[in-house]
Amino acid sequence: MITLVAALLPLLAALASLARPLRGRAADLLLVAVVLDVVLSLGGAPESIGTARFAGGFLVLDATSRLFSCLMAIVFLGVLLFARGRMQESPDLAALAPRYVRFAGAALTALQVASLSNHLVVTWLAIEASTLAVAPLIHHGRGPAAVRAAWRYLLFSTVGLTLTFLGLVCVAHAMEAQGGPEKVSFFCDELMTRGEAGVDTWRRLGLLFIVFGYGAKLGLAPMHAWLPEAYDRAPPSIAAVLSAMQASAVFCALIRVLQAFRSSDQDLVSYELVAMGLMTMAVSTLRIVTATDYKRLIAFAAMTHNGIVAIGLGVGKGAAYGVVLYVASNALVKALLFLAAGSIKARYRTRSISGLAGLAHDMPLTGATFMLGTFALLGFAPFGSFLGEVMILSGLMRGGHYAVFFAVCVMLTIILVSTGRAVFPMLWNPAKGPVPPATGEPLAALLPYVLFLGLLFSLGIFQPPAISALIRQVAANLAGIS
Amino acid sequence: MNALIVAFIIVLVLPLVGGSWRLAVTGLGAQTIIVFLMMFAHDPLPHAATAALLGLDLVVFRGLAAPLLLRRAILRAGEPEALEVVPADLLQWLVCLLLIVLAASFGQRLAPGDAWLAAHLGAAAAEVLIGMSVVAQHRSAIGQVIGMLMIENGVLLFEASTSFHWPVALHLGLAAVFVGLLVAIRFYLQVLPAPDEREPVSEGQEAVQ
C-alpha cells in the first residue's frame, strides 16, 4: 500500500499546486513529492522479492513493478532537478512552472501505476492517461512546430493504444468462447497460472494487435513517424520523460503480456517483435547516418534502443537478463543525453551538429557528460548498456538467430561510426567562431548528470546485491523460470 | 440485432460518400448509439449499473458530446463544409474497396457458420481498416480525428460481438480516458497551425526546460 501512496504523491502535489498560495512553489512541492516517492519506492525494493497484490488485486508489488517504479521515480527526480534549475534561471519558464508541474506530476503517477498494474486493462488505461498528460508538455512554452509534434504524438499514440485495446477485446472474445463471460479475466497472475493451451485464432489475433499497438507507442516501425519529431521538439526534460520513463512503462506492459501468454503464443509474438525491431533499427540507422541535428540524433538512437529491446524480447529466455539490464541502463542513458543536449542548446541556441565545436573546453562538465553518455549510448564498457547489449547478442547466437545477429551487428557498427563522426567533432574540434560568453554551469543542472552517470557505472561495474537480485528476478519472470 | 448491423453498415458507408464533415461527424455519433443498442441484444443483459455506464459512455459521451464538440471546434476553426473522408480519386477508392473486401473475408473466416456474425465482424474490421487509411491519408487534423474515431468505433463494434462487459470501475476509467481524449482533441483543433504554416519562431528562441 505504501507503494501506491508513493505513486500517488506526484499527482497529489500536482493537485495541490492548483491552490493559489502554492502556485509559486509548485516545482518545490513536486520535488518534495518525488523525493518522498523515490525514498518510499527504494525502501520497498531491497526487501524480499515476494509478490503482494493490493487495491483489489488490480495492482501488484513484485520484482517487475518494484524495478520499474523505482527506475521511473529516480529518472523523474533527475529530470525535475534539471527542469527546476532551468526555471530558476529563466523568469519565462518560472511563470510556466505550475502548468509543467500539473501535467508532469500526473504523468509520473500514471506511469508508476502502469508499472504496478496486475491487470492488462488497468495498464492500458494508465499508459493512455500518461499520454494525455505528456502531450501538452511537448509544446510547453514552444511554437507551432512543437504543437504539431505534440498532435502527431497524440494521434499515433491513440491509434496505437486503440489497436492494443482491440487486441484485448479479441483476447476477451477467445476467453469467452472457451468458457463464457465468467472466464474473461485480465489479471496477469491469473493468466500466467491459467496457461492457455492450443492454437486459438482470436487469442493470437489479439496478441498481434496488443504487441503492434504497444510497438506504436514505443515508436517501432512502421508506426515510428511521431518519435523523432516529438523527441526533437519537446523540451529536453520532456524528451527524457518520453524516452526513458514512458518507454520503460510500455516495456513493462509488454513484459507482463509476454509473461501471461508465453506458454501458448511465444512463437507468434517472437516473430512480430523481431520483425518490428529489425525494421526500426534499419530506419533509425539510415537516419543516424544522415543526421544533422544532435537532438534528432539522440532521438534516432532512442529508436534503435527500442528496436534492440524488441528483438531481445522476441528472442525470449536466452536474452531475458540482457533485455532487463538494457532497458534499465538505457532509460538512464537517454535521460542523461537529452538533459545534456538541453544544456548545450540553452548555451549555443542551435541544434545543428556542424554549428558546434569545442564543447569539451567551453562546457567541460556538460561536454564530459555528453561524451560519457555517447559512450554508454554506443554500448561501450563499463556501462550497463554494454553488458545488456552483449547479452542480447549472445542470446541471438544461442537461439540460432544468426541472420538477425548479423543484421544487428552490421547496423550497430554503422551507428557507432556515424555517431562518433557526428559527436566527437562537437566535443573536441576547435570552436569555429565567436562563442557566447560563459555563464557557468548551474549546480542544479549538474546533479542529474552525477545521479545518472553514477547509476550507469554501477549497473555496469558493481550492482548492489538488492538491485542485482531484482534484475535477476525480473529476467527470471520474463524467461518463465519462476 | 440483424437490423442493427444493417443500420451500422449504412451509417458507416454514408459518410464515406457524403463529402461533408457534418455527415461524417453525425455518422460517428450514430454508430456509437447503434453499438449501444447492440450491447442489449445478448444474453445475459448487462446489470443496471453497467447499462447506465454504457448509456453514459456510448450515448452521452461518444454519441452526443463528441460530435457536438467536434462540430463546434470545426466551426471555430473556420473549416470549409466539404470534407471527403475518402478522397475522390480512383486509387483511394480502390484501396477502400480492397479494405472492405479484406474485412468481409476476415469476418467470414472468423465466423464461417454464421452469416450475421460474419457481417458484424466484417463491418467492425472494415471500420478499423478504413479508419486507419483515413488517418494516414489526411493532412488536416479534422480528417485525422475522424479516422481516429472511426477506429474507436470499430473496436466498440468488435466489443459488441461478445456478451462480456467490463467491470464498473474499469468502464468508468475507459469513459474518463475517452473524455480526456475529447478535451485534448478539442484543444488541438483550436491551436494546431495549418499543415503548410511555417514555424515563425527561430529554433534559438525555444524554451529549454
Side-chain angles (χ1 to χ4, degrees):
Chain A
M1 205 61 190
I2 288 175
T3 316
L4 180 61
V5 173
L8 288 174
L9 280 173
L11 179 66
L12 293 175
L15 292 173
S17 73
L18 290 170
R20 196 176 288 272
L22 293 172
R23 262 182 219 168
R25 314 285 299 174
D28 296 335
L29 198 64
L30 185 60
L31 185 62
V32 170
V34 174
V35 169
L36 279 173
D37 185 0
V38 171
V39 170
L40 291 174
S41 301
L42 283 176
E47 299 302 320
S48 63
I49 307 168
T51 301
R53 286 170 129 224
F54 57 103
F58 283 101
L59 303 181
V60 67
L61 194 60
D62 61 358
T64 308
S65 60
R66 278 189 175 118
L67 178 72
F68 281 96
S69 63
C70 285
L71 182 69
M72 279 173 212
I74 290 170
V75 169
F76 193 76
L77 177 63
V79 164
L80 188 63
L81 283 170
F82 177 88
R84 191 168 158 273
R86 298 288 312 150
M87 285 171 200
Q88 284 170 343
E89 281 178 10
S90 157
D92 291 346
L93 292 178
L96 293 169
R99 181 181 183 275
Y100 182 92
V101 165
R102 279 199 296 276
F103 288 114
L108 176 58
T109 293
L111 291 170
Q112 281 193 301
V113 169
S115 69
L116 290 169
S117 168
N118 181 40
H119 193 281
L120 296 182
V121 180
V122 173
T123 310
W124 182 91
L125 277 170
I127 292 175
E128 176 87 40
S130 77
T131 302
L132 293 172
V134 170
L137 291 172
I138 292 176
H139 55 84
H140 180 71
R142 303 198 148 208
V147 175
R148 216 174 282 145
W151 169 248
R152 275 167 76 86
Y153 162 76
L154 184 71
L155 181 73
F156 273 79
S157 294
T158 307
V159 170
L161 287 173
T162 308
L163 292 178
T164 295
F165 192 75
L166 173 61
L168 293 171
V169 171
C170 291
V171 172
H173 216 296
M175 291 174 186
E176 193 186 66
Q178 282 178 1
E182 304 78 32
K183 189 100 194 294
V184 179
S185 167
F186 285 102
F187 286 102
C188 299
D189 46 4
E190 273 181 36
L191 289 170
M192 272 184 265
T193 50
R194 196 185 278 181
E196 307 283 357
V199 176
D200 184 306
T201 311
W202 276 109
R203 192 181 63 233
R204 287 170 83 84
L205 190 68
L207 273 174
L208 280 178
F209 279 125
I210 291 172
V211 172
F212 187 82
Y214 279 143
K217 193 79 193 78
L218 285 170
L220 296 183
M223 298 282 276
H224 62 281
W226 65 271
L227 186 143
E229 202 181 341
Y231 285 16
D232 181 22
R233 293 292 174 184
S237 63
I238 300 309
V241 167
L242 282 169
S243 62
M245 293 166 57
Q246 200 167 61
S248 297
V250 179
F251 280 126
C252 182
L254 272 175
I255 287 174
R256 297 273 189 216
V257 171
L258 292 177
Q259 276 179 271
F261 297 100
R262 183 195 318 106
S263 59
S264 54
D265 302 284
Q266 173 78 44
D267 53 335
L268 181 82
V269 178
S270 292
Y271 284 126
E272 188 181 10
L273 280 168
V274 170
M276 287 176 86
L278 280 176
M279 268 197 290
T280 308
M281 283 193 75
V283 171
S284 61
T285 304
L286 283 174
R287 300 301 296 268
I288 285 173
V289 170
T290 57
T292 56
D293 172 332
Y294 56 88
K295 213 169 156 206
R296 264 195 193 234
L297 183 83
I298 304 169
F300 288 119
M303 252 178 90
T304 309
H305 288 164
N306 293 349
I308 294 174
V309 177
I311 292 169
L313 285 173
V315 171
K317 202 172 176 177
Y321 185 84
V323 166
V324 178
L325 186 60
Y326 196 75
V327 168
S329 302
N330 278 297
L332 299 166
V333 173
K334 288 181 277 189
L336 180 75
L337 280 172
F338 275 118
L339 297 189
S343 292
I344 295 167
K345 166 84 190 308
R347 171 136 169 73
Y348 295 96
R349 301 281 168 194
T350 180
R351 287 197 300 249
S352 161
I353 290 171
S354 59
L356 279 174
L359 263 179
H361 303 291
D362 193 36
M363 294 179 83
L365 293 172
T366 302
T369 303
F370 200 70
M371 183 182 71
L372 289 172
T374 307
F375 284 143
L377 178 86
L378 295 173
F380 282 22
F383 301 100
S385 48
F386 163 75
L387 204 56
E389 201 166 282
V390 167
M391 291 176 114
I392 293 173
L393 289 172
S394 89
L396 283 171
M397 284 297 276
R398 273 184 282 138
H401 308 280
Y402 302 118
V404 179
F405 173 83
F406 179 74
V408 170
C409 285
V410 168
M411 287 189 275
L412 284 176
T413 309
I414 296 171
I415 289 169
L416 174 79
V417 173
S418 306
T419 310
R421 280 182 62 184
V423 171
F424 294 125
M426 279 169 57
L427 292 163
W428 302 112
N429 278 7
K432 288 173 184 169
V435 177
T439 52
E441 297 182 67
L443 183 68
L446 301 178
L447 276 176
Y449 300 162
V450 175
L451 175 71
F452 293 154
L453 278 173
L455 287 169
L456 271 171
F457 276 117
S458 167
L459 282 173
I461 300 170
F462 170 73
Q463 292 173 5
I467 301 297
S468 175
L470 205 56
I471 294 176
R472 273 178 209 287
Q473 186 60 47
V474 179
N477 291 345
L478 177 60
I481 294 166
S482 67
Chain B
M1 182 74 166
N2 299 347
L4 290 173
I5 293 168
V6 174
F8 190 95
I9 292 171
I10 291 169
V11 289
L12 164 64
V13 173
L14 268 182
L16 300 181
V17 292
S20 143
W21 62 255
R22 278 175 210 273
L23 193 60
V25 165
T26 312
L28 287 170
Q31 285 173 8
T32 58
I33 293 170
I34 293 171
V35 171
F36 170 72
L37 297 173
M38 282 178 177
M39 298 274 191
F40 290 86
H42 292 288
D43 267 342
L45 286 173
H47 296 296
T50 308
L53 261 175
L54 281 172
L56 186 73
D57 184 12
L58 296 179
V59 178
V60 179
F61 293 154
R62 294 175 195 261
L64 300 172
L68 276 174
L69 195 135
L70 271 180
R71 189 175 173 276
R72 274 195 196 168
I74 295 170
L75 285 173
R76 198 173 296 171
E79 288 292 320
E81 173 66 38
L83 180 128
E84 286 164 339
V85 177
V86 179
D89 85 47
L90 184 64
L91 185 68
Q92 306 288 2
W93 275 103
L94 279 176
V95 169
C96 189
L97 278 174
L98 190 73
L99 292 178
I100 290 170
V101 171
L102 204 71
S105 71
F106 166 83
Q108 276 188 334
R109 193 166 171 171
L110 281 177
D114 185 339
W116 283 109
L117 182 59
H120 185 139
L121 296 175
E127 179 93 328
V128 171
L129 290 173
I130 295 172
M132 289 189 75
S133 151
V134 170
V135 168
Q137 283 166 5
H138 280 266
R139 286 190 73 204
S140 77
I142 292 156
Q144 290 170 339
V145 169
I146 288 171
M148 188 200 284
L149 293 177
M150 283 179 78
I151 302 173
E152 290 255 354
N153 285 358
V155 176
L156 286 175
L157 190 60
F158 265 113
E159 225 179 305
S161 70
T162 70
S163 54
F164 161 75
H165 297 289
W166 299 113
V168 172
L170 286 184
H171 208 134
L172 271 174
L174 294 170
V177 159
F178 181 74
V179 171
L181 181 64
L182 271 188
V183 172
I185 287 173
R186 182 176 176 271
F187 171 78
Y188 284 105
L189 284 180
Q190 283 171 4
V191 299
L192 264 174
D196 299 323
E197 194 178 314
R198 291 178 70 87
E199 173 80 69
V201 183
S202 77
E203 57 166 297
Q205 289 168 293
E206 282 178 350
V208 177
Q209 191 167 49

